[in-house]
């Protein structure tokens, strides 16, 4: 943002705007003033826009600016949904909106001037179809279109002539030289004609010569046509190879028909192509253009001698020394913030270099893969031509490998199940042996106990009796059942079973595919649910991380912008101070006494001398005051006593007057008498 503002201020301070802005004054402009500045820039592009925006309504101003910006192919930042906010910002004079437009306009000012000039003649008037039914209007509109096309042709020729670098003087010299050559050729043809007329059958020879020239021209045309057809054939073969490669890629994609893999492959291809289009190829094109411009500049300059080359080498050496000195100063400064930023810059540059290297490797691998596929296609076609044998293609071989891989997976699963059953069989055998050992041990213990009690063979006898009783009960039951009951029961059971089977047969047939489909849908649901859960968790974690990173980066950007504006303000203050110091030094060093009187040093010296003389006078006054302080204080005390005495007399006089109003005091012979 600061670089953008700096660029805008620099361009506005230059021709033809001649503004006197700095970063602070430009940033403090009001919305109406910003819109007026934007209108001035648009007026420089299109003189019809030279209007004072205070004299028209805001809606008209916005409509006029948006129309011109659309004609200049300006694209506002953001998506299409933010178009209303962009219009609102343009109406209110929002700083981000106006600054972005100014930055874009000032970057392409000459190109936009040309575009606005061409738009006056190339933007066609929209005439309704109903009006074009009139013959006069249709003819006029047709003439108008022809004039537009003619203007395009003339403008293109004019641009070609401007870019060709030819001057009128050179063209005139070429025309003069061509006329001289024409005259010489005419004279030469006349001499040859006179010489040929003396030869017999010269008309016949001229006719044959003319035919020979026509045939040679025809031969050249046929050779050129043959070469063009060869080129077209080569291009058609290349297109065929590209189409075959695309068909093979599509077949491979069809073999691997999972939507996730297809989307992943397309996303990778889109990312790679977008990187190549937006980053790598523009940089290569720009580097090639710079190299071409440099070579053109070198080719246009005259040949240099050894002295000029030595001078250029000295300049390059001096520039390298200055660069090294600046790097050393920057390293000595050792600003921790700059160190952090340099670390990040180094990491970013390393990552960008790795990215470019990987992109180049990928491009080389793709080219190598294409060459190998073309070679494989050629080899397979040669082998097919020789013995007619069919080879397994890449997609067929992939399908075969996938089939074998699936069979191998099934084989491994079956083998794993078989190993598990074998292990379980071994465990059961061991369990059976342990139980038999325990049973034998229990029987031996029982026999020993029976022998101790004197009833050996009791357990065997008891078991035999139980077995015999069970057999006897079974025989009794079998005897109790008759053969007819058993047969009837069997018939009923068979009939019921047949009825149930016939009733359940269609349901079972319908249930089998539904059960299989249910299993497949359940499995697919579990897989999709697992994929969704993992994807949602990953996206949620990525979103939270990105939000934290964005929040931290925004805070960092705000801090850096505040620091940048503070540093710019301090820089401007220091520049003003340095300018004042330089002006002071210039005036002090100047030989003109009038300018030297204007220097701050002389003014301050004069002020210091005045203050010193004033201080001297004040010290003398202080000395006089100190010397006369004692007598003056005595005199003040005497005056105060006199004042008290006079005040006392005044009181006495007033008291005497108050007493005279009561009676009269008569003084005679040193006595006072009161007469009422």
């Amino acid at each position: 943002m600061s670089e953008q503002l700096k660029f805008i201020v620099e361009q506005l301070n230059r021709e033809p705007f001649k503004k006197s802005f700095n970063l602070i004054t430009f940033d403090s402009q009001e919305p109406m003033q910003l819109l007026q500045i934007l209108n001035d820039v648009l007026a420089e592009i299109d003189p019809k826009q030279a209007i004072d925006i205070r004299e028209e309504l805001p809606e008209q101003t916005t409509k006029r600016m948006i129309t011109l910006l659309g004609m200049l192919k300006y694209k506002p930042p953001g998506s299409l949904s933010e178009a209303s906010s962009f219009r609102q910002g343009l109406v209110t004079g929002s700083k981000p909106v106006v600054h972005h437009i100014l930055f874009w306009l000032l970057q392409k000012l000459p190109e936009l001037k040309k575009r606005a000039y061409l738009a006056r003649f190339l933007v066609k008037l929209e005439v309704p179809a109903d009006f074009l039914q009139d013959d006069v209007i249709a003819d006029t509109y047709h003439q108008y279109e022809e004039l537009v096309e003619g203007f395009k042709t003339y403008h293109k020729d004019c641009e070609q002539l401007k870019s060709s670098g030819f001057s009128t003087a050179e063209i005139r010299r070429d025309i003069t030289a061509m006329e001289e050559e024409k005259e010489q050729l005419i004279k030469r043809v006349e001499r040859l004609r006179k010489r040929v007329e003396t030869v017999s059958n010269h008309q016949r020879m001229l006719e044959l010569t003319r035919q020979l020239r026509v045939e040679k021209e025809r031969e050249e045309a046929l050779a050129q046509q043959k070469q063009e057809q060869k080129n077209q054939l080569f291009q058609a073969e290349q297109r065929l190879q590209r189409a075959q490669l695309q068909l093979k890629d599509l077949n491979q994609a069809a073999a691997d028909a999972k939507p996730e893999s297809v989307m992943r492959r397309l996303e990778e291809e889109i990312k790679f192509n977008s990187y190549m289009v937006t980053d790598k190829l523009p940089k290569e094109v720009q580097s090639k253009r710079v190299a071409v411009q440099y070579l053109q500049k070198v080719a246009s300059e005259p040949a240099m001698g050894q002295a000029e080359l030595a001078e250029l080498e000295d300049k390059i050496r001096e520039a390298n020394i200055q660069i090294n000195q600046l790097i050393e100063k920057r390293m000595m400064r050792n600003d921790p913030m700059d160190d952090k930023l340099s670390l990040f810059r180094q990491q970013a540059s390393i990552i960008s270099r790795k990215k470019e290297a990987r992109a180049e490797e990928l491009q080389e691998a793709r080219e190598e893969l294409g060459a190998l596929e073309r070679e494989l296609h050629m080899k397979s076609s040669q082998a097919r031509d020789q013995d007619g044998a069919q080879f397994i293609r890449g997609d067929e071989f992939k399908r075969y490998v996938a089939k074998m891989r699936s069979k191998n997976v099934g084989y491994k699963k079956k083998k794993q199940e078989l190993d598990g059953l074998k292990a379980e069989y071994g465990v059961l055998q061991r369990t059976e042996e342990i139980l038999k050992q325990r049973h034998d041990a229990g029987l031996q213990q029982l026999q020993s106990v029976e022998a101790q009690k004197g009833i050996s063979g009791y357990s065997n006898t008891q078991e035999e009796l139980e077995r015999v009783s069970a057999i006897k009960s079974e025989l009794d039951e079998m005897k109790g059942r008759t053969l007819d009951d058993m047969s009837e029961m069997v018939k009923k059971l068979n009939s019921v079973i047949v009825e149930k089977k016939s009733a359940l047969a269609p349901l079972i047939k319908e249930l089998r595919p539904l059960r299989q489909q249910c299993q497949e849908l359940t499995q697919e649901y579990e897989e999709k649910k697992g994929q969704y859960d993992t994807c949602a968790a990953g996206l949620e974690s990525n979103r939270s991380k990105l939000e934290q990173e964005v929040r931290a980066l925004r805070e960092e950007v705000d801090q850096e912008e505040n620091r940048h504006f503070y540093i710019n303000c301090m820089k401007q203050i220091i520049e003003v101070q340095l300018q004042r110091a330089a002006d002071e030094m210039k005036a002090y060093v100047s030989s003109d006494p009038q300018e030297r009187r204007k220097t701050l040093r002389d003014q301050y010296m004069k002020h210091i001398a005045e203050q010193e003389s004033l201080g001297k006078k004040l010290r003398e006054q202080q000395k006089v005051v100190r010397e006369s302080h004692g007598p003056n204080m005595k005199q003040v005390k005497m005056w105060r006593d006199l004042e008290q005495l006079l005040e006392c007399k005044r009181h006495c006089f007033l008291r005497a007057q108050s007493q005279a109003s009561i009676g009269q005091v008569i003084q005679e012979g040193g006595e006072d008498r009161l007469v009422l």
Side-chain angles (χ1 to χ4, degrees):
M1 181 63 73
S2 59
E3 295 295 331
Q4 184 176 348
L5 287 176
K6 187 176 180 181
F7 176 78
I8 293 171
V9 170
E10 289 179 356
Q11 294 297 323
L12 290 176
N13 291 336
R14 294 178 181 175
E15 293 285 344
F17 305 106
K18 293 183 180 180
K19 305 289 185 180
S20 59
F21 290 138
N22 53 30
L23 291 175
I24 298 174
T25 56
F26 181 73
D27 192 58
S28 62
Q29 294 293 315
E30 296 294 330
M32 186 62 68
Q33 295 174 346
L34 282 176
L35 289 175
Q36 185 62 50
I37 294 171
L38 176 60
N39 190 79
D40 294 341
V41 176
L42 293 175
E44 180 63 27
I45 295 172
D46 187 5
K48 293 181 180 179
Q49 307 295 323
I51 300 172
D52 191 353
I53 61 174
R54 294 174 296 182
E55 298 177 357
E56 63 179 355
L57 296 175
E59 292 80 5
Q60 296 177 354
T61 304
T62 306
K63 183 178 180 182
R64 177 171 54 81
M65 290 183 178
I66 289 176
T67 303
L68 182 58
L69 291 174
M71 186 178 63
L72 297 176
K73 297 182 180 180
Y74 169 74
K75 294 182 180 179
S79 60
L80 294 174
S81 59
E82 299 178 359
S84 60
S85 60
F86 170 75
R87 294 192 187 93
Q88 187 65 28
L90 188 59
V91 172
T92 57
S94 176
K95 287 184 179 180
V97 175
V98 178
H99 289 175
H100 189 272
I101 297 173
L102 286 173
F103 182 71
W104 185 80
L105 292 175
L106 294 172
Q107 271 186 329
K108 305 178 179 181
L109 194 60
E111 180 183 352
L112 295 177
K113 283 184 178 180
K114 181 179 177 182
R115 188 175 296 172
Y117 167 73
L118 294 176
R120 293 169 53 193
F121 305 100
L122 298 181
V123 176
K124 293 185 178 180
L125 298 174
E126 296 295 334
V127 180
D130 298 336
F131 293 166
L132 291 176
Q133 300 298 326
D134 190 357
D135 296 337
V136 179
I137 296 176
D139 294 339
T140 306
Y141 189 74
H142 183 65
Q143 293 177 3
Y144 167 71
E145 289 181 343
E146 290 179 352
L147 290 173
V148 170
E149 295 297 328
F151 175 78
K152 289 181 181 179
T153 305
Y154 295 146
H155 180 72
K156 189 182 295 183
D157 295 340
C158 180
E159 291 295 325
Q160 289 178 358
L161 290 174
K162 287 181 180 179
S163 60
S164 62
F166 293 117
S167 63
T168 55
E170 292 178 355
I171 293 172
R172 287 174 181 173
R173 285 197 297 270
D174 293 339
I175 291 171
T176 305
M178 291 171 68
E179 289 178 352
E180 292 176 356
E181 290 178 0
K182 181 180 178 182
E183 292 177 357
Q184 292 177 2
L185 289 173
I186 291 172
K187 292 178 180 179
R188 187 175 178 182
V189 168
E190 291 293 333
R191 287 197 300 270
L192 290 173
R193 184 177 295 173
K194 291 179 181 179
R195 189 179 301 173
V196 168
E197 288 178 354
T198 58
V199 180
S200 61
N201 297 327
H202 64 278
Q203 295 292 338
R204 177 67 177 168
M205 294 179 65
L206 288 175
E207 185 67 25
L208 293 173
T209 306
R210 190 180 299 107
Q211 292 179 2
L212 177 63
R213 186 179 67 253
V214 171
E215 293 297 330
K216 284 185 177 180
E217 290 177 354
R218 184 180 177 186
E219 183 181 2
E220 291 177 357
L222 291 173
Q224 186 177 1
Q225 187 177 0
K226 182 180 179 181
Q227 186 64 32
E228 290 178 355
Q229 289 180 355
K230 284 183 178 180
N231 295 332
Q232 291 176 2
L233 179 61
F234 180 72
Q235 292 174 2
E237 290 177 353
Q238 287 185 345
R239 287 197 297 270
L240 177 61
Q241 291 178 1
R242 286 196 295 269
Q244 289 177 352
L245 292 176
Q246 291 178 0
L247 179 61
K248 189 178 291 184
D249 293 338
L250 292 174
N251 291 330
Q252 292 176 359
D256 188 10
K258 292 184 178 180
E260 294 84 0
S261 60
V262 176
M263 290 298 294
R264 193 181 306 111
R265 192 183 305 112
L266 290 175
E267 287 176 356
E268 291 176 356
E269 188 173 357
I270 288 169
K271 287 180 181 178
F272 176 74
N273 292 332
S274 61
Y275 169 72
M276 292 292 292
V277 171
T278 57
D279 293 339
K280 192 171 184 302
L281 293 178
K283 289 181 180 178
E284 292 181 356
V285 171
Q286 186 64 27
S287 62
K288 297 294 184 184
R289 286 177 178 173
V290 171
V292 169
Q293 290 178 0
Y294 178 73
L295 292 174
Q296 288 178 353
K297 184 178 179 182
V298 171
S300 62
E301 291 180 354
M304 294 184 180
Q306 192 66 30
E308 294 177 349
L309 292 174
E311 185 179 356
L312 288 175
E313 289 178 355
D314 294 336
K315 289 182 180 179
I316 293 169
R317 197 178 299 109
E318 291 177 359
N320 291 328
I321 292 171
Q322 292 178 0
I323 291 169
N324 293 328
Q325 290 177 357
L326 292 173
I327 293 172
E328 291 176 357
K329 288 180 181 179
R330 184 179 179 185
M331 293 175 66
M332 291 173 63
R333 187 175 59 187
N334 197 13
D335 190 355
M337 185 62 67
D338 291 340
D339 292 340
K340 292 181 181 179
L341 294 176
S342 64
L343 179 61
F344 292 139
R345 291 193 190 98
Q346 290 177 1
Q347 292 178 355
S349 62
I350 291 170
I351 291 170
S352 64
R353 285 197 295 270
K354 287 183 178 179
K355 187 175 180 182
E356 291 177 357
R358 295 295 178 272
E360 291 177 357
E361 290 177 1
L362 179 59
Q363 187 69 19
E364 292 176 358
R366 285 190 172 184
E367 293 176 357
E368 186 176 359
L369 178 62
L372 291 174
E373 287 179 349
R374 288 193 295 271
E375 186 177 359
L376 177 62
H377 180 69
M378 292 173 61
K379 296 293 183 183
S380 61
S381 62
Q382 289 176 3
R384 195 182 303 109
D385 294 336
Q386 289 178 0
D387 54 1
Q390 293 291 332
F391 294 94
I392 298 176
R393 295 182 179 274
D395 50 356
E396 296 177 356
F397 183 73
K398 285 185 178 180
R399 286 196 292 271
Y400 175 73
V401 171
K403 185 177 179 181
M404 294 300 295
R405 193 172 294 161
S406 62
K407 288 184 178 181
N408 189 17
V409 171
Y411 167 73
K412 288 181 179 179
K413 287 183 180 179
K414 298 297 182 183
K415 187 178 180 181
Q416 188 176 3
E417 292 177 0
L418 183 60
D419 293 338
L421 292 173
K422 286 181 179 179
E424 188 176 359
Y425 176 70
V427 172
L428 291 174
Q429 281 184 343
R430 180 61 181 165
T431 305
E432 184 183 4
E433 291 176 359
I434 293 170
L435 292 174
K436 285 181 179 180
Q437 291 175 2
R438 289 181 181 179
H439 180 66
D440 294 339
L443 288 176
Q444 290 177 2
Q445 188 177 3
L446 180 61
Q447 290 176 1
S448 63
V449 171
E450 289 176 352
Q452 291 177 2
K453 300 294 183 181
I455 54 172
S456 299
Y458 176 77
S459 60
N460 295 330
T461 305
Q462 184 69 27
E463 289 177 359
E464 188 68 23
L465 288 173
E466 290 178 356
R467 187 174 64 80
V468 170
S469 62
I471 292 171
K472 185 178 179 297
S473 62
E474 289 178 358
L475 290 173
D476 292 335
E477 288 179 359
M478 290 176 66
K479 288 178 181 179
R481 295 171 186 168
T482 61
L483 185 61
D484 296 331
D485 293 334
M486 291 177 65
S487 62
E488 187 177 358
M489 183 63 68
V490 169
K491 288 180 181 179
K492 288 181 179 181
L493 290 174
N494 288 330
S495 63
V496 171
I497 289 169
V498 170
E499 290 177 359
K500 295 294 183 183
K501 282 185 178 180
S502 61
L504 292 174
L507 296 176
I508 291 171
K509 289 181 180 179
E510 293 177 0
L511 183 61
R512 284 175 183 172
L514 292 174
R515 186 179 294 168
Q516 186 178 1
Q517 187 178 2
C518 178
Q519 291 178 357
E520 292 176 356
L521 291 174
T522 305
Q523 185 178 1
E524 185 177 0
Y525 168 75
E526 295 295 334
E527 292 177 357
K528 297 296 183 181
K529 185 179 180 182
Q531 293 177 2
Y532 171 78
D533 293 335
T534 55
C535 183
L539 291 174
E540 185 66 25
S541 61
N542 290 332
R543 187 179 66 82
S544 60
K545 288 180 182 179
L546 290 173
E547 286 179 354
Q548 292 177 0
E549 291 177 1
V550 168
R551 195 179 299 110
L553 290 173
R554 283 180 177 174
E555 293 175 358
E556 186 177 356
V557 166
D558 294 336
Q559 292 176 2
E560 292 297 326
E561 286 183 354
N562 294 332
R563 184 170 177 269
H564 172 72
F565 286 120
Y566 173 76
I567 290 172
N568 283 337
C569 294
M570 295 300 295
K571 177 184 176 183
Q572 291 180 359
I573 292 170
I574 292 171
E575 288 177 354
V576 171
Q577 292 178 355
L578 290 174
Q579 185 64 32
R580 290 177 62 187
D583 295 337
E584 179 69 16
M585 181 60 69
K586 182 178 178 181
Y588 182 74
V589 176
S590 178
S591 59
D592 191 2
Q594 296 294 330
E595 290 186 0
R596 293 191 63 179
R597 289 197 192 98
K598 296 179 181 178
T599 59
L600 294 174
R601 184 174 182 273
D602 294 337
Q603 294 178 6
Y604 281 127
M605 292 296 292
K606 182 179 179 181
H607 188 63
I608 289 169
E610 292 175 357
Q611 293 296 322
E612 286 178 353
S613 62
L614 182 60
K616 187 175 181 181
K617 291 179 182 180
L618 291 174
R619 284 193 295 272
E620 291 176 358
Q621 291 178 3
Q622 184 181 11
K623 184 177 180 182
V624 172
V625 169
R626 285 179 180 175
E627 290 175 355
S628 60
H629 180 66
N632 289 336
M633 291 300 293
K634 290 180 181 180
Q635 190 174 3
V636 168
K637 187 177 180 183
M638 291 172 65
W639 279 104
R640 285 177 181 172
D641 294 338
L642 179 61
E643 183 180 4
Q644 290 178 0
L645 180 61
L646 292 173
E647 186 68 21
C648 183
K649 285 184 176 182
R650 189 175 68 83
H651 285 300
C652 292
F653 177 75
L654 292 173
R655 190 180 299 154
Q657 285 184 353
S658 62
Q659 291 176 0
S661 60
I662 299 172
Q664 184 176 6
V665 178
I666 300 172
Q667 296 178 355
E668 290 180 355
E671 296 178 354
D672 295 332
R673 290 184 296 169
L674 178 61
V675 180
L676 299 174

